[in-house]
Amino acid sequence: MTLLNYLLGRRKKTATVAKERLQIIFAREHADRNGPDYLPDLKKDILEVVAKYVTIDLDRIQVHLDKDGDMDILELNIILPDKQPEQHKVAVHS
Amino acid sequence: MAKIIVVTSGKGGVGKTTTSASFATGLAKRGYKTVVIDFDVGLRNLDLIMGCERRVVYDFVNVIQGEASLVQALIKDKRVDTLNILPASQTRDKDALTQEGVERVLNELRKTHDYIVCDSPAGIETGAIMALYYADEALVVTNPEVSSVRDSDRILGILQAKSKRAKEGGERIKEHLLITRYDPARVEQGEMLSIEDITDLLGIPLIGVIPESQSVLQASNSGVPVVLDDKSDSGAAYLDVVARFLGEDRPMRFIEVEKKGFLKRLFGT
C-alpha cells in the first residue's frame, strides 16, 4: 500500500507528528526549567487580569520567557478577538 | 586520571544496561582498564547481561558500608582481562547509596582504572542522581520514540543542574547521544523519528546509532555483551561507538535500509 498512500497523499506521517509534538512540549518545558519559580503563578495572574476585560481564547495566548544578557524578558502575546461578544466571561487555567 | 562516564536515559528499557555492558567491554577490549558499576540498587541486572551473576559475592553497597573491600567485590571478567564489574546490591533500602560512600568508592577505583562506566537506573530518583553526579561524560541512550526522547531531554536538564560539575560551576559534562533500537525501514516509512529529528530535538552530538537487532536479545540470553558477537551489526555499531569515544573518525553504519527488489519497494510489505 506504500505507493498508493504516497500517490493519494494520505495523512501526515506519524514521525512528523511526533517531532512537532515534542518541539512544542520542549519549548514549554525548557521555559519552565530556566524560569523563576513564581513564573507559573505570574502567568496565571496576568491572564486573569486580561480576562476581566476581554474574552480570550487560551489557544491564542503565548507566553515566552527570554533571556537577553542579564535581563529576563517576559513576552506575552494575546490575540484579541475581532468582535467583542456581549459577555466577557472566561475561565483561566494555569 | 580516570574518566567517569554515566550511561543514562531517564526512561527504562531503552538499553542502558546493554549499552553499559557493551561500551565497557569495548573499552576494555581496546586495552583500557575499565570498571562498570551497576547503580540500580534493588534491581541488579548488569551481572546477568555480563554473564557473571553466579560469581557475585559482595556488592557496591557492601563496599560502601564497609562490609567488604573493593578487591573482594570487584568481579574480573573472564573474557576481557582489563574489565571489572561492580554489581549492585539487591537490598530494598533505597538510601543504601550515600554520596560520600559513592565518592569514596569512585576515588578508589580511579587509582586503578582508566575508565569508570556508571550504569544508571531509570528514573530521576537518588540512584540515577548518584550515577550521574560525578560524571565527566554522559552517554544519553535514546529510542526513536516520543517518551524516550522527552525523558532524555529531561535527563539532560538534570545533568546540567544537579551534577557535581554543574553545582560547582566546573566544565560542563560532555554529553553524547546514543540512539538505540533504530529501524531505518520504519524511518523511511515515516513511522519512526529519524536520526536528524532526534539530534534536532535534543541538540547534543551523536556518538552512534545501534540498529534494532535480534542479536541483542540473543546476547542477553547467553550473558555475553553484544559487542563481543562479531557477527552482529549491533555489536559492530557498539565497537564504532567506542572508537568514536576514543576520538577516532568512523562513519555511521546501519542507518540506511538494505536495498530491496523493485516489486517489493513498489508495493511495500
Side-chain angles (χ1 to χ4, degrees):
Chain A
M1 295 303 282
T2 318
L3 184 64
L4 198 61
N5 278 344
Y6 178 74
L7 289 176
L8 295 174
R10 246 180 239 175
R11 270 188 285 158
K12 203 188 267 180
K13 301 282 191 195
T14 56
T16 314
V17 177
K19 187 179 186 187
E20 288 168 2
R21 290 174 62 212
L22 284 166
Q23 280 169 330
I24 292 166
I25 200 148
F26 282 6
R28 202 173 67 202
E29 287 179 351
H30 290 184
D32 291 348
R33 186 190 294 167
N34 301 322
D37 296 342
Y38 58 77
L39 196 67
D41 286 341
L42 175 67
K43 278 183 196 172
K44 190 168 161 257
D45 288 352
I46 293 175
L47 293 182
E48 271 170 7
V49 171
V50 176
K52 267 168 72 180
Y53 299 94
V54 276
T55 308
I56 43 175
D57 181 352
L58 284 180
D59 291 338
R60 307 177 83 182
I61 296 172
Q62 287 159 352
V63 187
H64 286 295
L65 186 76
D66 282 325
K67 234 184 162 60
D68 186 8
D70 288 341
M71 195 162 44
D72 284 334
I73 303 170
L74 181 69
E75 191 182 307
L76 198 68
N77 275 317
I78 303 173
I79 303 169
L80 297 173
D82 295 337
K83 215 175 175 185
Q84 283 295 309
E86 300 272 315
Q87 293 224 317
H88 299 167
K89 218 173 164 191
V90 131
V92 177
H93 310 279
S94 59
Chain B
M1 187 65 173
K3 211 172 239 180
I4 302 179
I5 305 115
V6 61
V7 178
T8 185
S9 70
K11 190 177 183 302
V14 297
K16 279 182 299 299
T17 302
T18 300
T19 297
S20 300
S22 276
F23 183 67
T25 306
L27 283 170
K29 260 184 76 172
R30 298 287 300 261
Y32 295 100
K33 284 181 194 150
T34 307
V35 57
V36 56
I37 309 175
D38 190 348
F39 273 78
D40 205 346
V41 170
L43 293 167
R44 166 164 90 206
N45 273 321
L46 180 69
D47 56 337
L48 267 181
I49 303 299
M50 294 297 301
C52 64
E53 69 277 9
R54 290 166 63 184
R55 298 167 61 207
V56 177
V57 183
Y58 294 109
D59 58 55
F60 194 12
V61 171
N62 292 143
V63 178
I64 285 178
Q65 295 179 344
E67 296 155 1
S69 72
L70 199 48
V71 179
Q72 286 175 306
L74 283 179
I75 301 172
K76 202 168 152 56
D77 190 82
K78 286 190 168 167
R79 298 154 296 216
V80 188
D81 63 3
T82 46
L83 180 61
N84 285 315
I85 301 127
L86 184 55
S89 139
Q90 284 290 50
T91 172
R92 285 163 69 186
D93 178 12
K94 275 202 291 182
D95 302 320
L97 291 184
T98 60
Q99 185 121 329
E100 308 75 55
V102 171
E103 183 169 20
R104 191 168 44 79
V105 173
L106 289 178
N107 282 340
E108 213 175 323
L109 287 169
R110 272 183 205 270
K111 294 179 198 157
T112 44
H113 293 84
D114 300 311
Y115 291 106
I116 301 170
V117 179
C118 303
D119 181 18
S120 171
I124 49 175
E125 304 295 320
T126 318
I129 304 295
M130 292 284 180
L132 65 81
Y133 190 77
Y134 296 98
D136 300 306
E137 304 201 24
L139 291 189
V140 179
V141 183
T142 308
N143 286 172
E145 179 269 326
V146 281
S147 53
S148 174
V149 176
R150 184 199 212 173
D151 290 359
S152 291
D153 180 69
R154 186 100 167 79
I155 214 78
L156 285 170
I158 290 170
L159 282 167
Q160 288 151 27
K162 296 205 172 154
S163 61
K164 183 166 190 272
R165 285 190 174 206
K167 285 197 167 167
E168 293 178 1
E171 199 185 330
R172 185 180 160 141
I173 291 180
K174 196 169 173 194
E175 300 145 340
H176 308 274
L177 173 64
L178 180 67
I179 300 175
T180 54
R181 307 200 68 168
Y182 194 70
D183 185 342
R186 300 201 72 183
V187 172
E188 198 173 70
Q189 296 295 315
E191 296 173 2
M192 185 180 266
L193 289 165
S194 68
I195 296 168
E196 204 195 355
D197 291 337
I198 302 169
T199 50
D200 273 4
L201 285 160
L202 294 177
I204 59 169
L206 180 70
I207 196 167
V209 179
I210 312 299
E212 172 79 65
S213 162
Q214 304 196 342
S215 52
V216 173
L217 180 60
Q218 305 238 35
S220 79
N221 284 343
S222 23
V224 180
V226 71
V227 76
L228 293 177
D229 178 354
D230 49 19
K231 287 187 197 72
S232 154
D233 46 1
S234 291
Y238 274 117
L239 284 177
D240 286 352
V241 169
V242 171
R244 287 187 203 107
F245 182 83
L246 295 171
E248 292 165 29
D249 196 19
R250 296 267 178 111
M252 295 289 166
R253 292 194 276 171
F254 319 113
I255 57 172
E256 302 288 344
V257 185
E258 287 170 48
K259 287 280 169 278
K260 287 182 188 171
F262 172 73
L263 281 176
K264 225 177 176 182
R265 245 189 296 166
L266 191 59
F267 296 107
T269 40

